[in-house]
Amino acid sequence: MSFFTKLRERLGKTRTSLADGVRRIFTGRGRVSDEVYEELEELLIEADVGVETTQQIIGDMRRTARERGIDDAEALYAVLKEEMAALLDNGSKQANWTVESGPHVTLIAGVNGSGKTTTAGKLAQKLREQGRTVLLGAADTFRAAAVEQLTIWAERTGAVIIRQQEGADPAAVAYDATDAAIARGVDNVIIDTAGRLHTKINLMEELKKIQRVVSKRLPGAPHQVLLVLDATTGQNGLIQAKIFTEALHVDGIVLTKLDGTARGGMAVAIQKQLGIPILMIGVGEGVEDLQPFDARQFVDALFGEGGN
Amino acid sequence: MFENLTKKLESAFKNIRGQGRLTEANMKDAMQQIRQALLEADVHYKVVKKFITDVQDAAVGQKVIESIHPGQMIVKIVHDELIKVMGERNAPLAEASAPPTIIMMVGLQGQGKTTTAGKLALMLKKRGKKPMLVGADVYRPAAIQQLEIVAQQAGVESFSLGVNANPVDICLMARGEASMRGCDTLILDTAGRLHVDAEMMAEVRQISAQIKPHEILFVASAMTGQDAVRSAKQFHDTVPLTGVVLTQMDGDARGGAAISLIDVTGCPIKFIGTGEKLEALEAFHPGRMADQILGMGDIVSLVEKAQQVVDRDQAIDFQKKARKGDWNLEDFLAQMQQVKKLGSFGDLIAKIPGLNKMMPQGLEGAEDELKYTEAIILSMTPKERRNPVIINGSRRRRIADGSGTSVQEVNALLKEFEKMKKMMKQMMRGPKGKPPRGFSPPMPGF
């Protein structure tokens, strides 16, 4: 099921009203006026793109419109979508799950409640479906029952799980997981870490230690670090991404919970201000709902459009 | 950042001084700055629009006082209006006339419902209630185990029927179970759900209709963006929300969603979550929230850091002792050591807007003084610390030698300590014999 079918199915009215908003701004307006830009600004802000990034995008649009001599509102809309898709397009950058030799290690990080464990579980299932062997590292030793939650995912997907008791050193779990994966010749390791607010210095240090310890056991690992971000997050997402990226070698973002009415526009700001790409999106509870990111589809969805 | 806003507003008003009154025209730039500040704090744009109109109405026609800059005036007006929107006092939890009181937690996934349920249970237990946590999230793997562990940590009862039961049945059964176990408060932890998920919303409506909770708390993260209005509205239209819990207030999110949530639900914010520990649930303070939304977050984070570091039980102990006047040098030392955990003075000062400019130097002096004070107290015997009256001339000499200070310095410290003790006793008594909330004895050098 495509992202749009899913969205259409789930959103119904809300999505329609948003699409109506976009249509109202651009359709039948004839010439581009300041009013069009103002309404567009509101639309982007409401999608959580943020004031600064919105103003930059609109500034770019005004310039393009001037340069190309566009004065028709509908033509301008096409320009907007095109520019945003270009901004978000990662080109060849996609989530990667293979490495020449030894296990491929992915580290999952993010603030509390963004959906890390669920993402880890879904990734395990996807990889298992591709016939790969997977080992889950339960390095969230802090939250009550987080290990149990991941264990249930391991049982569901037929992945191996490496776990210790609650309160154990997460770096030790990550080390053990990597070690066990090497010994067993597992294809993929996914390490689930505890949620942490980026403002907690000690917890960010702990994350660095996990990364360090894993690379010590297996040079080059973790091969991929994914930052899980909740699409309902507002402007704080930008600083979250910044600080997590300063602590870890973040390859990209998994934008979760896009099946609600949140547009995840802060990911646009993250891409524009920090250059961190969105690699995957979560559009539902099912395993198939974790999908590779597609810039054009995302922009359409951002404006509540597309997918007939 | 609060200063930034003030500064921006000052520049927006550069030409106003002497114009006499605030008008819509001369406030235009300033309103633009405020709009931007609120949007950056994640207040919903429609709510911002409405709010700006209110601020303008409150400001237009006001005379610009010569001594105060119009920018500062506007900030004050904005701050006051924010507090007005958020409600001036914090709202208490509802209580059933006949137990059990039923509190239901609802919200989107990942907002912290289970953790908040545990925090609330602990808070109520400390107030002498006997709460029971009810695990009604049968969907998220291990959610019920999580609740059971949290209940254990909080030292309260928990109840569930496992993942194959119907959440409505679980909640209904919990009622009977509560009276059997002698529990007077039920806290229902429902599954996180999307407001657009018709099936799941029907479920929560059914629980609400059958159980008739006295409180339905919408749990939302302070990091939530513009979508807060849509989800909260949908929840409010489905079940009659009575309050909001704003979680993850220990991060650096400005928390403008608070304004959106209040606007769309008409419910007060009853609590804020300020940390990962079960104790980290606090009453909501509109004034502090207004500061944070306007970007005065640094001072808030400082306060929170202090709260994290300072041992609560010990603080309460201090308060009691200070009130009775039997606060001694041992308590003083323990407090001093807690303050040191906050970091260096330089760090602290840097976090307080304005203070860093007011106190450019002499900080090392203050830090040194603290070190000497600590050394002097450490050179005393426990008996002396508990009862400083016994410190006579020869003891003073020994303490001075032991701490590498002079008898004069030891004398000065003892004198200052006595003065402080007296002052504190008066302060702690307050007008009605109750210390102000969160008050703790002062520290030297502060």
Side-chain angles (χ1 to χ4, degrees), chain A residues 161-216:
Chain A
I161 186 159
I162 294 295
R163 52 182 282 183
Q164 287 183 19
Q165 74 284 10
E166 212 176 289
D169 177 6
V173 178
Y175 185 93
D176 282 358
T178 313
D179 194 51
I182 296 167
R184 298 180 191 208
V186 166
D187 299 323
N188 287 88
V189 181
I190 296 166
I191 298 172
D192 180 32
T193 64
R196 65 200 74 221
L197 289 180
H198 53 288
T199 48
K200 315 254 161 155
I201 295 160
N202 292 345
L203 295 181
M204 293 311 284
E205 285 300 319
E206 181 188 274
L207 211 46
K208 283 190 207 165
K209 184 179 165 195
I210 294 173
Q211 181 175 259
R212 221 163 38 231
V213 158
V214 167
S215 73
K216 211 166 244 177

Side-chain angles (χ1 to χ4, degrees), chain A residues 41-42 45-46 48 112-113 143-145 149 197-198 200 232 234-236 239-240 257 259 261-262 285, chain B residues 35 39 42 44-45 49 109-110 140-142 146 194-195 197 223 225-227 230 248 250-253 276:
Chain A
E41 187 189 73
E42 280 180 354
I45 283 172
E46 201 190 5
D48 287 317
N112 317 61
R143 179 167 61 88
Q149 188 178 344
L197 289 180
H198 53 288
K200 315 254 161 155
T232 62
Q235 294 317 298
N236 195 244
I239 189 156
Q240 273 174 38
K257 306 187 202 177
D259 46 338
T261 47
E285 312 224 336
Chain B
R35 173 177 179 266
L39 287 173
D42 290 323
H44 191 260
Y45 83 96
K49 257 189 184 167
Q109 289 95 338
R140 181 163 59 92
Q146 184 184 350
L194 273 176
H195 51 294
D197 188 331
M223 304 184 305
Q226 299 277 317
D227 196 51
R230 277 196 220 99
Q248 298 186 317
D250 47 335
D252 55 1
E276 295 184 330

Side-chain angles (χ1 to χ4, degrees), chain A residues 108-292:
Chain A
I108 311 266
V111 301
N112 317 61
S114 51
K116 285 173 300 301
T117 307
T118 307
T119 299
K122 286 181 182 176
L123 287 173
Q125 175 125 355
K126 274 184 172 301
L127 292 164
R128 291 288 298 135
E129 282 164 4
Q130 290 166 22
R132 304 178 67 82
T133 48
V134 177
L135 184 145
L136 288 166
D140 180 356
T141 58
F142 178 78
R143 179 167 61 88
V147 173
E148 283 75 6
Q149 188 178 344
L150 196 69
T151 306
I152 293 172
W153 274 106
E155 283 162 6
R156 278 185 193 172
T157 58
V160 179
I161 186 159
I162 294 295
R163 52 182 282 183
Q164 287 183 19
Q165 74 284 10
E166 212 176 289
D169 177 6
V173 178
Y175 185 93
D176 282 358
T178 313
D179 194 51
I182 296 167
R184 298 180 191 208
V186 166
D187 299 323
N188 287 88
V189 181
I190 296 166
I191 298 172
D192 180 32
T193 64
R196 65 200 74 221
L197 289 180
H198 53 288
T199 48
K200 315 254 161 155
I201 295 160
N202 292 345
L203 295 181
M204 293 311 284
E205 285 300 319
E206 181 188 274
L207 211 46
K208 283 190 207 165
K209 184 179 165 195
I210 294 173
Q211 181 175 259
R212 221 163 38 231
V213 158
V214 167
S215 73
K216 211 166 244 177
R217 181 62 191 90
L218 181 64
H223 307 91
Q224 175 165 259
V225 178
L226 298 176
L227 178 66
V228 181
L229 202 67
D230 181 334
T232 62
T233 311
Q235 294 317 298
N236 195 244
L238 195 59
I239 189 156
Q240 273 174 38
K242 184 167 185 284
I243 296 178
F244 270 98
T245 309
E246 280 164 10
L248 301 171
H249 308 294
V250 173
D251 291 278
I253 284 166
V254 179
L255 194 59
T256 60
K257 306 187 202 177
L258 269 171
D259 46 338
T261 47
R263 301 268 73 96
M266 122 291 304
V268 176
I270 290 170
Q271 169 71 267
K272 184 147 174 85
Q273 310 297 345
L274 304 171
I276 306 167
I278 310 169
L279 294 182
M280 301 186 92
I281 54 168
V283 294
E285 312 224 336
V287 167
E288 71 284 358
D289 297 326
L290 184 64
Q291 302 178 353

